[in-house]
Every structure is written in structure tokens, then in C-alpha cells.
Amino acid sequence: MERASGILLPIFSLPGRYGIGSLGKEARDFADFLKAAGQTWWQVLPVGPVGSGNSPYASPSTFAGNPLYIDLDALGAEGLLTAAELAEAQVPSMDKVDYEALKATREPLLRKAFHRMSPEGLRAVEDFAAKNPWVREYALYCAARAHFGGAAWYDWPDQALRRHEPWVLPGWREKLAEDVAFHTCVQYWFFTQWAALKQYVNDLGIKIIGDIPIYVSLDSADVWAEREQFLLDSDGRPSQVAGVPPDYFSAEGQLWGNPLYNWGYMKADGFGWWIRRVDGAIRLFDTIRIDHFRGLESYWAVPAGAETAKVGHWEKGPGMDLLRVLTSWFWYADVHYIAEDLGLLTDAVHELRDQAGLPGMKVLQFAFDNPGNAYLPHNYPAHCICYTGTHDNNTLVGWYEAAGEAERDFVERYLGVRDDTEAVRKAVLRSGQGSVAELFVAQMQDYLALGAGARVNVPGVAENNWCWRMLPGKTTPELAQEIRQLTSTFGRCAPLTEAAACDKL
């Protein structure tokens, strides 16, 4: 990467009239703001359908897009939704997403749009499905799950369907044909709108960073359709599940509950599942952040049914066998990766990252305890990405207000500021921008000086996560000018050859 900077803002956190961020006007407005602020990168979280706890990291599909992100105004412009229906779908501006309300109202609205699709539109949907084979299984999974009252696939009463027996699938596709067609159409809308948004963003000289979550949900189309890729018994149940041991994110560790990969089978297959997964991701993102990179070296396996992740143990991951494939297969697409190398690290994890040639992450909120801390800017290698915090961290304001006396004292001495929250916020941003890291990324909340109430996620806590939204009117020209000046001062502004030239708003 060239020296640059960017902002982390999830799609769901965008403002808008319909209760959650979308791929419409507000997303383009934010891209315009990034351009004005001299930024080169927009980092988002996974954009798939949300799963347990509304987490984008617990999706029922590693390939599908989130229906809640579909731009309703675009469907209205196509004549698929009426003005009255759009007006009824609007909600007052709020700084939180009400997922339960959206889940109750959004699908019926999208079904109305689906029933108004023209023959030409339906043919475009069929063409989309033919080019994206995963849609066929995902749409049937969604239709069958609804047919069985929302039950997870491993609880479906039809054993042959539960086991994804090829002979039984055609009959169920016919029986659930309308629902299958609806879910296919929804994915067509999402990916058509995403492609248009990405083109708009890229034309501004801005690129998108997106995640590949390390694991997939047990109750997902991926596990149902390709059980052989995962460590499951004959009933589709795992004997061990994924998680992480206690660390600085959680004293109890994190019990994720995802099925573990059958790495032996995957290697024998040439890691074809991962190749298809990355191929899907590069249609969405310009650079891919490999979530929980540490798990590729060694992963934490927890007995199924355990109450906490403390009782797990380490097992060897695929290492360079997988990374060698991923870093060489997509040479034609100029794919780049970021290693999310956080958590309990070992020398072997650092060696794997370096052998693969990937930049790791340095999080400033973890830095301020002693001069030898690897997250302090004076200890950075150039080939790294500096963050104020990730989606799992507090905001800078919330972090400093919650810090203990010793940490505050070190912050003040290192940054040369007194015990003043606003001064510390600005000094941390300056230290990240001024570091030698190739890329500096700040949470949008940190530029907005928001407190702990604007935090995206608290690891290990199930409620009130993944719902913070930026209120309308916050991306002002004045804020763009302030960020652009800071970015320019430290040589991170988008090049003058790009549309997002730093000297123009």
C-alpha cells in the first residue's frame, strides 16, 4: 500500500430514512465526504445477512448480501415500490438500529417489490443466479428455513433435505419455488446496487476494505450445503466449536460456537471452498481483512456444550498451505489482504504473517502501558496498518474516560497532553496519522468525538451491539476540512492524480 488513511464506518451505521444504513444516497454522500477529507480507504464490516445477536460475523451465508441494506428509494425509482409504501417504511432519525422492527417489516415490503418485477427484470435475476451458483443453495436454504418455522437446518424434519441429499432437492425447489425465486431476487438487488456503489466509490479514488470472518455459522447455507468442509457428526452436530481463550477483549474468553473446519479435507480439495469464498469477496472489496488471522496458525477448540471458552485447547491451523493458495491464486485481480493479528499471539503467528507478506494491525487503544509495547507508534514496522480501535473497541473518548490511573498517566506522558479528554482524542489521532504505518484507519466515531454510547460492539456481550448509527448532518464540510488538513500534514492525502485531490472540496 501507498501511505494513506481511511475511516471505518459500517454500512448499518450510515444515516438514512429507513431505520438502517443502505447502499443508496447516504452511502454515496459518505464517499463524497471521504473524498473531501482526503481519505483513500473506506473500511466496512461484513455485509452479509446478520445472524445471532444481529452480528455480521454470525451470518447464515458467507456469500450473500444483507437484504436490510437494499436501497428502497432505488426500488421506488424502478416502479417496484410506491411513494406511499416508501413513506410508511420511514422511521424517525435514530442513533440505533431497531433490528426487530426491521425484520418484521422489511421482508413483506421487499416481497411487494418482487411481485412487481417485469419479465425483463426476472430474466436478469435468472442470469445473475446462473453466474453465482451459491445463490441456488442459499435461496433454497432460506425458503426451507421459513417453511419449517425458522428452525435451524439440523432440526428440519425431512432427514434427506437436512442431509442435503441431491435426489430430494429438486422436489423441494419446486415446492418452495416462489420463496426460492424471491430470495434469489433479493440477492440480485443487493449485488446490483453494491456494484453501482462500489463503482461510484472507486471513481472517487477511494477503495473499500472488507472482512472475511474466519468462521461461518453452524446454521448457515454454507454448512448445510457443504457439510464435508466442517467437523460434524452424522447428525450435523459439532463435537468441538470455535472461540478464543481469555484475553484483553474478554476475561472469560469468547465462546463463538461456530463449527470448526475440516482442514484435512479442505487441503486435499485444494482449498476450493476458500478460493470460492475469496472470489466472492473480491467482487465486494478492494482489500480483504482476514478476521482472526491467529486461527490460521493455531485455533482454539472448545468442547461443544461448554459454558465458557476457558476449557478449550489449541490445535494446529492450515498455515501457509492455505495462505500460499490465497496469495497466489488471484494474481489477475491484484488482491490484497490485511492480517487481523490480534489476540494472544505467539512467535509462530508473527512468522506466518511475515512469511505470507501480509501487513498486521496495530491498535492504539492497546498501546499505553510501557515503552516496549508493540502498538506504540515508535515501535511500528512500516508494513502495518494502524487503527485507533477496531469495531470491538470503545471509541477514543469512551476508552480514555474508562482508563485507569496508570494508563492515563502513560497516555499523558507519551502524547504530551494533560488530563483532558478532547486533547487526548486529538493527540491519539495525530499519533496514528504521524506513524510510519502504511495505512492509518480511525473509527468515524473518533473524528466525531463520540463517547462510549457510540461503541459498535462489546465482545462477549450479546445485547445492544451492531446497532450504532451516525445521525444526519454530521459529515460537515468543516469536519472534512479538519480531517483533510491532518491527513495532508502527515503525507497521507489521496494523490493529486486521483479524483479525491486533497486541495479541493
Side-chain angles (χ1 to χ4, degrees), residues 279-423:
D279 183 64
I282 63 177
R283 302 181 189 186
L284 298 169
F285 313 125
D286 298 295
T287 286
I288 297 168
R289 194 189 81 134
I290 302 176
D291 171 58
H292 193 56
F293 178 84
R294 195 255 181 275
L296 300 184
E297 193 282 320
S298 295
Y299 57 91
W300 192 246
V302 183
E307 294 185 1
T308 76
K310 288 183 176 181
V311 296
H313 64 277
W314 292 109
E315 294 197 11
K316 198 65 177 175
M320 280 305 298
D321 288 341
L322 172 62
L323 289 169
R324 192 175 294 109
V325 171
L326 297 187
T327 55
S328 63
W329 189 275
F330 300 96
W331 59 269
Y332 57 88
D334 194 29
V335 176
H336 297 278
Y337 302 94
I338 295 171
E340 191 263 297
D341 55 342
L342 305 176
L344 296 175
L345 304 184
T346 64
D347 290 343
V349 178
H350 296 305
E351 290 168 4
L352 178 64
R353 180 202 62 218
D354 293 343
Q355 187 177 358
L358 307 185
M361 293 175 55
K362 306 295 182 184
V363 179
L364 288 167
Q365 287 187 32
F366 298 150
F368 299 98
D369 59 2
N370 71 84
N373 189 307
Y375 294 133
L376 284 173
H378 73 266
N379 291 322
Y380 290 176
H383 191 45
C384 73
I385 315 297
C386 173
Y387 287 81
T388 54
T390 75
H391 59 273
D392 284 330
N393 287 101
N394 210 331
T395 66
L396 281 179
V397 170
W399 158 72
Y400 184 68
E401 290 179 345
E405 182 178 350
E407 186 175 20
R408 280 181 172 237
D409 178 68
F410 195 93
V411 166
E412 293 171 30
R413 287 188 288 116
Y414 189 89
L415 299 177
V417 295
R418 62 182 184 279
D419 186 9
D420 179 286
T421 301
E422 178 62 5

Side-chain angles (χ1 to χ4, degrees), residues 150-169:
W153 66 264
Y154 43 81
D155 289 328
W156 293 349
D158 187 307
Q159 182 177 4
L161 179 63
R162 190 168 67 236
R163 295 177 64 85
H164 199 262
E165 299 286 356
W167 63 268
V168 79
L169 301 180

